Amino acid sequence: MAEISGTVTLDGNPLNDAVVQVDAGDGAVPTSLPISEGQFAGEVLLGKKTLRFFAMRKTERDPRLRAIDMQAPEENVLPDRYGYDSTFTIEVPAAGIQGLVYELTSN
């Protein structure tokens, strides 16, 4: 395992209350690192990884559904290109990576 860290902005402002998922693409559960005030850091496995960014926010419940159908619906407020469609990749060496910078835009 190695330490990675970096900053994330959305439209020039530090991203807050979000996560970056570090995914090896091998079917294992991705490592989720919290993003607070535009900063993230944590230990991840070595090798090639895809980074996916999520900022989940509560949405309005569909009034046509029963309460048991959906309790606390959330959606990623970031564009799909940063989530499951992300093309951000890194190669994590044993020494880790510090100072990654991601400047996201909402459009």
Side-chain angles (χ1 to χ4, degrees):
M1 299 205 49
E3 177 87 10
I4 66 169
S5 67
T7 61
V8 186
T9 59
L10 177 63
D11 298 327
N13 299 306
L15 189 58
N16 204 23
D17 295 326
V19 298
V20 56
Q21 287 187 350
V22 184
D23 188 356
D26 60 1
V29 175
T31 300
S32 291
L33 304 176
I35 302 170
S36 180
E37 297 179 12
Q39 304 289 316
F40 69 90
E43 284 194 342
V44 299
L45 295 173
L46 306 181
K48 185 174 181 178
K49 307 289 184 251
T50 299
L51 301 182
R52 295 186 174 96
F53 297 90
F54 296 94
M56 305 305 288
R57 303 293 185 259
K58 290 188 187 257
T59 61
E60 302 245 348
R61 193 174 74 78
D62 187 333
R64 298 171 295 177
L65 299 176
R66 299 173 299 164
I68 61 172
D69 292 331
M70 190 181 312
Q71 292 301 316
E74 293 185 337
E75 67 179 352
N76 187 15
V77 298
L78 301 176
D80 291 340
R81 68 182 174 274
Y82 301 127
Y84 292 113
D85 296 339
S86 176
T87 57
F88 292 126
T89 60
I90 58 173
E91 183 75 32
V92 181
I97 305 173
Q98 309 306 310
L100 294 165
V101 176
Y102 295 94
E103 297 174 344
L104 313 182
T105 58
S106 56
N107 43 353

